[in-house]
Amino acid sequence: DCDDADIYYKAAQYAYAIEPTFESAIGLGQFEQKNGNMSKMLEYYNKAIELCSNDATRGNICLRIAGALRKSSQYTGALSYLDKARAYNNDISGKAYLQQATVYTQLGQDNDAIGAARKASAADITVSGSADRLIASIQKAQANAAANAKAKAAYDAYMAKKKAEEDFWAGK
């Protein structure tokens, strides 16, 4: 958790050069992510998954990868790594489903987002508040969109009627 210091990245580079471990690969993955090099980030994180012998940690690495991909708008990849995270570590299913709901929201797939948020809430009580707020936010946005569509339809109908009246009086 000291990934904001340059010395951390230097240590990870030296450690990885001497003998790659999943920890040093994670450090290099974080460095590449910080520098915006997503392909190298994926390379190092995937190496970390390969070097790691613990499925729970593999799941956490996949969750970290998914978060980075989501932030860089690589949604398909993020969804894939969220599936992997759940497969490795069922204990993080709630967090994975919540990230999945966020991805679906960003893709405009509101019904899928609500479904994933409900799964998150059911899987992990610690994320249920965030999941419930996300669901409420999506439903509010859907209600607003429906109200706006109804108002626009009423306005368009009024304008069409007004134009028809103007055309009638103009002899068109």
Side-chain angles (χ1 to χ4, degrees), residues 62-161:
C62 288
L63 200 61
R64 185 180 290 204
I65 294 170
L69 291 173
R70 179 179 51 82
K71 289 177 184 171
S72 67
S73 302
Q74 296 180 32
Y75 302 124
T76 303
L79 291 171
S80 174
Y81 276 96
L82 290 169
D83 289 339
K84 289 179 184 181
R86 283 192 302 274
Y88 281 126
N89 184 359
N90 195 45
D91 293 339
I92 60 171
S93 288
K95 291 177 180 140
Y97 280 125
L98 186 58
Q99 274 200 43
Q100 187 177 18
T102 303
V103 169
Y104 285 138
T105 301
Q106 291 170 319
L107 290 170
Q109 298 174 2
D110 292 343
N111 292 333
D112 291 335
I114 289 172
R118 286 187 175 134
K119 288 179 183 177
S121 187
D124 186 349
I125 189 84
T126 65
V127 299
S128 64
S130 295
D132 292 344
R133 284 189 296 278
L134 180 59
I135 291 169
S137 176
I138 293 168
Q139 289 173 335
K140 183 177 179 180
Q142 286 176 326
N144 287 342
N148 288 342
K150 184 178 178 181
K152 183 177 181 333
Y155 174 78
D156 289 345
Y158 170 77
M159 292 305 289
K161 181 181 174 185

Side-chain angles (χ1 to χ4, degrees), residues 26-46:
I26 287 172
L28 293 176
Q30 289 171 323
F31 177 74
E32 296 299 341
Q33 179 182 352
K34 180 179 177 182
N35 291 322
N37 189 348
M38 299 309 282
S39 62
K40 287 296 268 183
M41 178 211 72
L42 278 173
E43 179 183 323
Y44 284 119
Y45 276 144
N46 283 322

Side-chain angles (χ1 to χ4, degrees), residues 5-64:
D6 288 337
I7 192 78
Y8 169 77
Y9 300 121
K10 280 289 183 199
Q13 286 174 327
Y14 289 130
Y16 191 83
I18 294 169
E19 182 178 342
T21 64
F22 83 89
E23 293 98 341
S24 61
I26 287 172
L28 293 176
Q30 289 171 323
F31 177 74
E32 296 299 341
Q33 179 182 352
K34 180 179 177 182
N35 291 322
N37 189 348
M38 299 309 282
S39 62
K40 287 296 268 183
M41 178 211 72
L42 278 173
E43 179 183 323
Y44 284 119
Y45 276 144
N46 283 322
K47 186 67 173 177
I49 292 169
E50 178 185 315
L51 293 169
C52 184
S53 61
N54 178 329
D55 278 348
T57 304
R58 284 184 180 128
N60 286 324
I61 295 168
C62 288
L63 200 61
R64 185 180 290 204

